[in-house]
Amino acid sequence: QEEIQEVKDEGNLEVLFNSLDKIVEEAKNREEPAWRPSGIPEEDIRSAVVPYLLKHRSYLRKVLKEKEEENRKVAESVLAGRDRIAELQQLIQARKHAWQ
């Protein structure tokens, strides 16, 4: 009896047993059965991983859309800059010919 009490004290078993009793009491009110592994790890992990992957895919699509829009704006800016350079080159040529 004394050894059992010593083991209970060392492992803080009384608190753990109380915690276990609380979990059992809470489980009595559940209507649906508790989750149990099927034995096929791929299927068991799918329920946890698939929602995360779908959320991450949605996030990546959003970021991709933002980057594509940003790239489109930058491309427009580059084209406008090239047009401005071409105009300035023509102006330079025109003034050069007028000066000569």
Side-chain angles (χ1 to χ4, degrees), residues 4 7-19:
I4 292 174
V7 169
K8 283 173 58 178
D9 291 342
E10 280 181 24
N12 201 15
L13 295 181
E14 194 162 331
V15 172
L16 294 175
F17 285 139
N18 289 339
S19 161

Side-chain angles (χ1 to χ4, degrees), residues 23-88:
I23 292 171
V24 169
E25 286 300 317
E26 289 174 359
K28 286 180 181 178
N29 297 329
R30 286 189 179 168
E31 293 181 14
E32 73 275 351
W35 179 83
R36 298 286 184 263
S38 67
I40 304 169
E42 293 84 9
E43 288 181 10
D44 295 340
I45 196 72
R46 188 173 295 137
S47 65
V49 172
V50 168
Y52 167 77
L53 292 176
L54 291 174
K55 183 178 176 184
H56 194 63
R57 181 176 68 178
S58 173
Y59 168 75
L60 290 175
R61 284 183 175 166
K62 178 183 166 211
V63 170
L64 176 63
K65 188 175 181 179
E66 290 171 359
K67 292 298 177 186
E68 286 174 341
E69 179 63 22
E70 183 181 324
N71 288 344
R72 185 188 61 75
K73 288 179 181 178
V74 169
E76 286 176 0
S77 175
V78 167
L79 290 175
R82 287 181 182 167
D83 290 343
R84 179 70 179 141
I85 289 171
E87 289 173 10
L88 290 173

